[in-house]
Amino acid sequence: MAFEYAQKVLFRHCDPAGIVFFPRYFEMMNDCVEAFFDSALRWPFEALHRVQAVPTAGIETRFRAPSRHGDQLTLALEIEAVGRTSCRYLMRARCGDEARFETRATLVLVGETGRPEAWPDPIRAKLTDIKEGRG
Amino acid sequence: MAFEYAQKVLFRHCDPAGIVFFPRYFEMMNDCVEAFFDSALRWPFEALHRVQAVPTAGIETRFRAPSRHGDQLTLALEIEAVGRTSCRYLMRARCGDEARFETRATLVLVGETGRPEAWPDPIRAKLTDIKEGRG
Amino acid sequence: MAFEYAQKVLFRHCDPAGIVFFPRYFEMMNDCVEAFFDSALRWPFEALHRVQAVPTAGIETRFRAPSRHGDQLTLALEIEAVGRTSCRYLMRARCGDEARFETRATLVLVGETGRPEAWPDPIRAKLTDIKEGRG
Amino acid sequence: MAFEYAQKVLFRHCDPAGIVFFPRYFEMMNDCVEAFFDSALRWPFEALHRVQAVPTAGIETRFRAPSRHGDQLTLALEIEAVGRTSCRYLMRARCGDEARFETRATLVLVGETGRPEAWPDPIRAKLTDIKEGRG
């Protein structure tokens, strides 16, 4: 089961063409990942970022259809792979039944000096459970 | 020869870890594409967007190293493919000799209804010249 | 009774000092006003903006204390004055009992040409009711 | 003589009404202040922010006329008052001869704990010279 995050398209997301300006989608994706760490992993970003960080190492996005002001989007996040210091997620956004974008990204846990660090055991266990559908 | 765009990393780009927050990179990429349309294609976004638009259909980015407040970035854009209604660019960002990110994206020209439209002939000719290194 | 809007301070709001970057507060204020039009006035921005707009003519903000990543903010909006084509609101943000900012702003309803337009009667009536505490 | 900062209105600044979304103006103001600290005070934000910060304590803005995509704005900053730990600036934006906004804001220098700190003597001297028109 994917982790779902609701996001209405707001005025601030939209460009002069009246559709979501694509860099704002990356802010939404980050908000969804932040909510996932908070609600699903119980490791809120505000705690994690005291000394560590989870920068995005790579991201690929395919935009299927434009989103308009007022659209009620659902972003659904699945964990596809869990490494020692990283994980890969797939995120799909839809409005009703219509696909809006899919994105795949790799996050890396890094310490204060920016070096990759192993996930804490309970986090790695949860990520693996979620990946295996036991989340 | 790539089209080059200079961007200093400003306070507003940076996150609590003191490095560029990745959605802000996508704003920089858009600024670089906007400057390319203005200076290289002589088709400023403010003219193009009166009735048309050039949404990003897909984008893939690999972040090589973090950028810090004050870094002087150079974004270098090359045209890799020119279609009837679309084009693909490669953009590389570096700070001095250090790679920061590479991105590949496909832009599509669309009309008022959001349907793809053929590039105007002089624009397609310029895109092709730039792609072939005659730009 | 003020209209209340909850906003957790997210990663994307924060600057290298780890506190909310002040332009992000203005995005939050806009989100709160957008929610007020939607929930309290039943005139969602996505409907209003088809032909009209409600630009901010003036805004004054006093920041009382910094907000940090993870803070649970409440933005409370009151209508202080209702004109023929404009209204003035007071918005106070707090985290628990601690004041974070107060802002006063004037919104003007404008038509397609950017000229001020009178509020539709039912909207003016609701704004007045809210101002008088009958909202 | 005011410190001047040029800013073209870009696609990313504009809202569905085709004009600058007002929170983006506050990002522009911050960029102008950052450029002023860099060029006029020779105290770049990236150096200042290693241990200190200059949060905005209060800001008042009057928007005179909307700005559109492609407009070439000039932001002109003057120092109006210099305190022990703070300063007040006036910033006026225009496009050609047309006024777009005026803003007055108070910045406070704070240390690592967030407490106000006295300006370093050479900075206070420069701020005073600029205020007196000897800048």
Side-chain angles (χ1 to χ4, degrees), chain C residues 16-17 19 21-24 26-27 29-30 49 52-53 55-64 68 89 113, chain D residues 16-17 19 21-24 26-27 29-30 49 52-53 55-64 68 89 106 113:
Chain C
I19 62 176
F21 178 47
F22 84 94
R24 306 291 166 237
F26 291 91
E27 296 187 52
M29 292 174 205
N30 196 74
H49 283 88
Q52 294 167 299
T56 298
I59 188 163
E60 286 184 40
T61 306
R62 175 100 192 129
F63 299 103
R64 296 290 173 190
R68 294 183 185 286
Y89 69 77
T113 60
Chain D
I19 62 175
F21 178 46
F22 85 94
R24 306 291 166 237
F26 291 92
E27 297 187 51
M29 291 174 205
N30 196 74
H49 283 88
Q52 293 167 300
T56 297
I59 189 163
E60 285 183 41
T61 307
R62 176 100 192 129
F63 299 103
R64 297 289 174 191
R68 294 182 186 285
Y89 68 79
T106 300
T113 60

Side-chain angles (χ1 to χ4, degrees), chain A residues 5-48:
Chain A
Y5 179 80
Q7 176 68 64
K8 185 180 176 182
V9 175
L10 299 174
F11 190 73
R12 70 175 157 87
H13 296 127
C14 295
D15 69 16
I19 63 176
V20 174
F21 178 46
F22 84 94
R24 306 291 166 237
Y25 273 134
F26 292 91
E27 296 187 52
M28 287 184 201
M29 293 175 205
N30 196 73
D31 287 354
C32 175
V33 169
E34 183 163 351
F36 171 79
F37 270 73
D38 192 354
S39 303
L41 299 185
R42 304 276 168 204
W43 197 17
F45 265 22
E46 57 269 27
L48 185 162

